Amino acid sequence: MMEAVEYLASDDLKGRGIGTRELDEAANYIANKFADYGLQPGSDDGTYFQQWTQDVLDKKNIKLTNVIGIIPGTNPDLSEAVVISAHYDHLGFGWPDVRKGNEGKIHNGADDNASGIAVMLELAKTLGKTQKQSRTIIFIAFTAEEAGLVGSRYFVNNYQKFPINKILANLNIDTVGRLFGRKLMVLNSNTAREWKFIFMGTDFTTGIISELIIQDLDASDQIAFIEKGIPGVQLFYSGVDSDYHKPEDDADKIDANGLVKVAAVAREVLEYLAEREEPMAFTG
C-alpha cells in the first residue's frame, strides 16, 4: 500500500490536479492495477475508464475520467452490486482550495486521498484473486471529488451497467492515512440501521475500534449515493496532525500500519455486504 501512496503522492504527479496529464497517469496506474488483480473492465464501453467532458467550476470543457473495475458476483439472484470507492484526484498546485501562502506549491495529497486509493487497491488485489463473492463488487476511483463530488455524481446519474437502483450500498474510503492507533471514524452511519451492527462486528473480528459519526464531518463521494437514497459510509480519520489541503500532506507522514488496519476493517465490511441477501433500508 505504501508503494501506491508514494507513487500517487510523488512530486512527479504534481498533485493530481484535474485536467492534467499527471492525473491521467494516475488513472492509468489504477486501471493497470485492476487488470493485474483480475478485475474486469467496468465502464459501459467495456474499458476501465468512464470518460466525459464538462465544465468544472471555472474550468471549461475538462476531460474527466472515473476508473472502474468489477468482480462479478456468483449469485444471479442477488442483482444489486456493492460499490467500494475512493477519489484519486487532489489539488495540483492548490486549485480549487488553496490556502494563502501555498499558491504554486505542489499539493501531493498523500492522506487525501492516495491513502484511500491504496487501501482500495489492496482489497482489489486480495478479493480479485478469489472472485467468490455472491454479489458483484464494483471498485471505483472517482475523479474531481475536490471540485464538488463531480466524478461520483456523474457516476450515479449515468452508469448503465448497474444503475443506481441496482446498488446495495457504498463503502467510501477517504483520508485514512494517519490513524496512528486512534479510532477509525465511520461517517454517515445513520444512512442505514445495519451500519451500527456491521461495525460492531468489525470491532469484534478485527480488534480495530471504530467510531460511528452521525453528524457530517466531511462531504466525500458517499454523499452522491446518499443523495440518491443509497446507504453509504466513509472510512475516515483526520486529527490534530492533519495537513488537510496543505502542501505538507506527504507520503512520509502516512501510518503504514494504520493502512493495514483500515484495509482489514474495509475487507470485513465489503465481504459482509457481498454476501448479504437482504437489501439495506435507507434511513438517511
Side-chain angles (χ1 to χ4, degrees):
M1 284 185 281
M2 283 305 301
E3 287 182 8
V5 171
E6 288 163 1
Y7 170 72
L8 292 168
S10 66
D11 284 351
D12 290 344
L13 290 193
K14 299 178 182 177
R16 310 186 308 281
I18 68 166
T20 65
R21 177 179 59 82
E22 289 79 17
L23 190 62
D24 291 340
E25 291 178 10
N28 288 329
Y29 171 84
I30 295 164
N32 288 335
K33 291 294 187 184
F34 283 170
D36 289 346
Y37 300 154
L39 275 62
Q40 295 183 5
S43 77
D44 292 323
D45 67 4
T47 71
Y48 289 103
F49 304 114
Q50 182 185 44
Q51 295 182 313
W52 72 103
T53 301
Q54 73 175 75
D55 297 345
V56 180
L57 301 177
D58 59 343
K59 293 180 180 285
K60 303 299 181 183
N61 295 317
I62 298 297
K63 177 187 171 186
L64 297 162
T65 304
N66 291 328
V67 189
I68 309 174
I70 286 180
I71 301 175
T74 60
N75 187 344
D77 293 329
L78 299 179
S79 59
E80 293 178 317
V82 180
V83 173
I84 179 169
S85 59
H87 75 90
Y88 71 103
D89 66 296
H90 194 55
L91 301 177
F93 292 90
W95 184 92
D97 189 31
V98 67
R99 306 292 197 262
K100 187 174 182 180
N102 292 335
E103 299 89 345
K105 297 179 181 178
I106 297 176
H107 292 59
N108 280 321
D111 192 15
D112 183 16
N113 184 34
S115 67
I117 290 291
V119 171
M120 184 178 71
L121 290 176
E122 180 68 14
L123 295 178
K125 180 180 181 180
T126 303
L127 299 177
K129 293 176 181 177
T130 59
Q131 300 202 11
K132 294 179 181 177
Q133 291 75 31
S134 296
R135 291 187 185 275
T136 294
I137 303 177
I138 306 173
F139 291 75
I140 312 176
F142 284 126
T143 190
E145 187 270 353
E146 300 289 7
L149 316 184
V150 173
S152 52
R153 285 181 170 142
Y154 183 87
F155 173 84
V156 300
N157 284 317
N158 294 280
Y159 193 52
Q160 298 301 309
K161 191 167 287 190
F162 284 86
I164 195 66
N165 65 343
K166 288 295 184 181
I167 292 177
L168 179 79
N170 172 229
L171 175 64
N172 187 50
I173 307 174
D174 191 350
T175 312
V176 291
R178 298 194 183 190
L179 201 58
F180 292 109
R182 293 166 291 205
K183 291 181 180 179
L184 178 64
M185 295 183 184
V186 182
L187 306 189
N188 299 110
S189 58
N190 58 328
T191 56
R193 175 181 169 273
E194 292 86 354
W195 291 125
K196 174 183 177 181
F197 302 101
I198 291 169
F199 285 97
M200 284 173 62
T202 65
D203 286 358
F204 178 76
T205 57
T206 68
I208 300 159
I209 304 302
S210 57
E211 180 177 358
L212 274 61
I213 308 295
I214 296 175
Q215 69 271 30
D216 295 338
L217 294 184
D218 195 30
S220 187
D221 289 307
Q222 76 278 3
I223 298 298
F225 292 86
I226 294 169
E227 290 170 344
K228 296 291 186 179
I230 303 302
V233 290
Q234 175 190 346
L235 302 186
F236 174 74
Y237 183 78
S238 183
V240 294
D241 57 350
S242 172
D243 285 317
Y244 178 71
H245 286 188
K246 296 178 181 177
E248 292 79 15
D249 181 7
D250 288 323
D252 61 359
K253 297 181 180 178
I254 296 300
D255 174 17
N257 291 330
L259 292 182
V260 174
K261 292 179 179 180
V262 175
V265 172
R267 179 175 177 174
E268 289 285 326
V269 175
L270 202 56
E271 290 185 327
Y272 168 80
L273 293 174
E275 297 304 323
R276 180 184 173 88
E277 295 184 358
E278 304 83 12
M280 291 176 65
F282 180 72
T283 57

